[in-house]
Amino acid sequence: MTALQPTIRRGNWTDLMAPPVRIPTMELFDTRRSLIFAHAGFIICMIFQRFGHMFGGSALFFSLPAFGLLLGWAVITGIATVRERGAALYMMFAGWTLIATLYALLAPDARFGTSLTSLLAILLTYGFTVLGPGSRFDRAVIFPVFLFYTRLCAVFGIIQWVIQFGGVRIFSFMLTVPAMRPVLIESQFNFNPTLHYGSSILRSNGFFLIEPSVFSQTLAIAIVLDYFILGRAKYLPLYLLAYLLSFSGTGALTLALAVPFYACLSARNFGRVAGLVIAGALGLAVASVAFPEQVGSLTSRVNELNYSGSSGYARFIGPFLPISDLMQEGRILIGWGPGATERYLYHVEGTGNSIAKLVMDYGLIGISAFIVMFLGTLWRREYAILSVLALTTFVVGGGYLLFTPILVLLMLLCIWSGLPEERIRSAG
């Protein structure tokens, strides 16, 4: 601890040679409360990811009210404060959503419906970005706590996948313990993730996480954080094995979109990216020999966009088909109001994309305001790769606009985090 404690000197400017005085770290940072906040935050968005309540066809995630209460506690205890930039960006986006909603109510379109609940949900969810760490919050606790829970999910995910061949299948809480069904939102997600149609093998979801897709994206974030930011490779085999057992291409897609940006920043970064690509290729080669059927199933998902019944098509093609027809109308600039996407006369159930929804609900101006708010809120120059990965995770993940568990996770990593040396610099 001594090395992490900043120093000051006694006396005035004539006393510069006096012995330095150590300032106890706890006087500068409330590490105990910061740890409580970090553990509670990741338990809320990861361990309790499946929990919530269904209202008709909509889900209220447990993480929404729980994280709101946690932020309230952080403000009361003095470890959280209002972020001026975050508040300004949020007010800009919120102001436009209110304008679009008012226009939708005053000039309704018979093809669309409107939902004030949808407006309230988006304003409440992104209102979390207004608050951030105060001067007493220890940012250095965030990364280690996240990695602890990710590795826990990775280990449980491997065990979960292996023991299914012994007849023990725990991939869905509501199927394992039916009494828990009223407090779970699994029914809206892939709670029975078979390897492919007709297969009896289930894909790993990390036990606590709601889908293999979310598991794969969480592992992708851990890979970037551990390898690129913290400079460690010893946990890569764990992440790669757990990722393979998820049989999901979503995490790999987020990495494929984010990592090239990082590689272009410097020659040193390019070397790190090359090392990761080589390690991934070797891991895939070994796995293809040990698990040929499983790896074949994973790689075959590359062609999903060509099939209208696939999840890839539902995420990236289907949601934009109605928008292509509406692009000829002038109202595409301001949108058709909150909830219009799901209430469109020609909406196809099962398709969902956050970008497409923002365009239809709040128009091209609305999506522009949202991207500025989202990037401005989560952007960290010192962790550029993490901020870019947060954006690609949001876009690739599908319907993440109001998926609070992932949003809370991204907020914790991009807004509340810091490395120990940054902690010292901010104190000194």
Side-chain angles (χ1 to χ4, degrees):
M1 290 295 294
T2 302
L4 296 178
Q5 294 173 343
T7 62
I8 61 173
R9 294 186 179 276
R10 292 189 179 92
N12 54 31
W13 64 274
T14 62
D15 224 2
L16 292 179
M17 299 305 294
V21 177
R22 295 286 180 183
I23 303 177
T25 303
M26 285 302 295
E27 290 183 13
L28 296 172
F29 301 105
D30 195 333
T31 303
R32 183 177 66 85
R33 285 195 176 97
S34 301
L35 276 170
I36 293 173
F37 179 89
H39 280 284
F42 287 114
I43 288 173
I44 285 169
C45 68
M46 295 178 72
I47 306 304
F48 285 93
Q49 190 173 106
R50 300 168 181 258
F51 290 81
H53 187 71
M54 298 301 303
F55 294 95
S58 301
L60 173 63
F61 297 96
F62 167 76
S63 52
L64 179 64
F67 191 61
L69 291 174
L70 182 62
L71 288 176
W73 171 81
V75 171
I76 292 172
T77 56
I79 60 173
T81 188
V82 175
R83 306 166 63 232
E84 293 183 2
R85 184 178 70 174
L89 293 172
Y90 171 76
M91 293 302 295
M92 173 198 65
F93 173 69
W96 177 255
T97 63
L98 295 176
I99 292 173
T101 302
L102 181 61
Y103 192 91
L105 294 175
L106 295 177
D109 188 318
R111 298 171 298 172
F112 298 87
T114 310
S115 170
L116 295 181
T117 303
S118 177
L119 173 66
L120 178 62
I122 197 170
L123 293 180
L124 183 61
T125 300
Y126 291 92
F128 293 158
T129 62
V130 171
L131 296 176
S135 59
R136 292 180 59 80
F137 185 82
D138 189 351
R139 290 171 174 262
V141 304
I142 294 294
F143 287 160
V145 173
F146 165 71
L147 291 174
F148 167 78
Y149 286 108
T150 302
R151 292 166 193 159
L152 181 69
C153 290
V155 171
F156 273 62
I158 294 170
I159 295 174
Q160 171 195 48
W161 188 83
V162 171
I163 63 176
Q164 70 174 312
F165 298 102
V168 180
R169 298 193 170 202
I170 310 178
F171 293 83
S172 167
F173 288 0
M174 69 179 185
L175 296 181
T176 306
V177 186
M180 296 177 64
R181 193 182 186 100
V183 295
L184 297 171
I185 43 86
E186 289 182 349
S187 59
Q188 297 295 302
F189 298 87
N190 188 9
F191 62 88
N192 188 41
T194 57
L195 189 59
H196 52 76
Y197 181 77
S199 174
S200 61
I201 300 175
L202 298 179
R203 299 182 289 143
S204 175
N205 54 26
F207 187 81
F208 298 104
L209 306 182
I210 199 164
E211 281 187 348
S213 174
V214 176
F215 185 33
S216 73
Q217 291 172 82
T218 304
L219 291 169
I221 295 173
I223 290 171
V224 163
L225 179 54
D226 236 341
Y227 184 70
F228 290 116
I229 296 178
L230 300 180
R232 297 185 304 210
K234 64 180 180 180
Y235 291 104
L236 287 184
L238 172 65
Y239 301 145
L240 293 175
L241 176 59
Y243 183 92
L244 177 65
L245 300 183
S246 74
F247 300 96
S248 172
T250 312
L253 181 57
T254 61
L255 285 176
L257 293 173
V259 168
F261 170 83
Y262 179 78
C264 294
L265 295 180
S266 71
R268 177 175 177 271
N269 292 352
F270 186 84
R272 284 182 173 272
V273 171
L276 181 64
V277 171
I278 292 172
L282 290 175
L284 187 62
V286 172
S288 63
V289 175
F291 310 103
E293 181 183 356
Q294 288 79 3
V295 173
S297 176
L298 177 62
T299 55
S300 66
R301 305 195 65 175
V302 174
N303 296 322
E304 274 195 355
L305 296 181
N306 298 323
Y307 304 100
S308 59
S310 68
S311 61
Y313 187 94
R315 286 183 185 179
F316 306 117
I317 304 298
F320 291 96
L321 294 179
I323 291 180
S324 64
D325 297 330
L326 296 169
M327 286 296 290
Q328 309 303 319
E329 302 183 21
R331 191 158 174 174
I332 194 68
L333 288 173
I334 60 175
W336 286 267
T341 301
E342 295 80 8
R343 292 160 183 80
Y344 182 37
L345 188 62
Y346 304 107
H347 175 68
V348 178
E349 290 293 335
T351 60
N353 182 281
S354 300
I355 301 301
K357 177 174 171 57
L358 284 165
V359 171
M360 188 171 288
D361 287 12
Y362 302 107
L364 297 178
I365 298 176
I367 182 62
S368 300
F370 178 85
I371 290 176
V372 171
M373 177 195 70
F374 194 80
L375 281 178
T377 295
L378 301 185
W379 177 255
R380 297 283 298 279
R381 184 176 59 182
E382 62 274 29
Y383 309 137
I385 180 63
L386 187 58
S387 299
V388 173
L389 187 65
L391 177 63
T392 57
T393 298
F394 176 83
V395 173
V396 170
Y400 277 1
L401 182 64
L402 295 175
F403 187 54
T404 324
I406 281 292
L407 294 176
V408 169
L409 187 147
L410 297 179
M411 291 174 194
L412 287 170
L413 291 175
C414 294
I415 296 176
W416 293 82
S417 64
L419 293 176
E421 53 265 32
E422 291 180 85
R423 180 177 65 179
I424 299 170
R425 192 181 309 120
S426 64

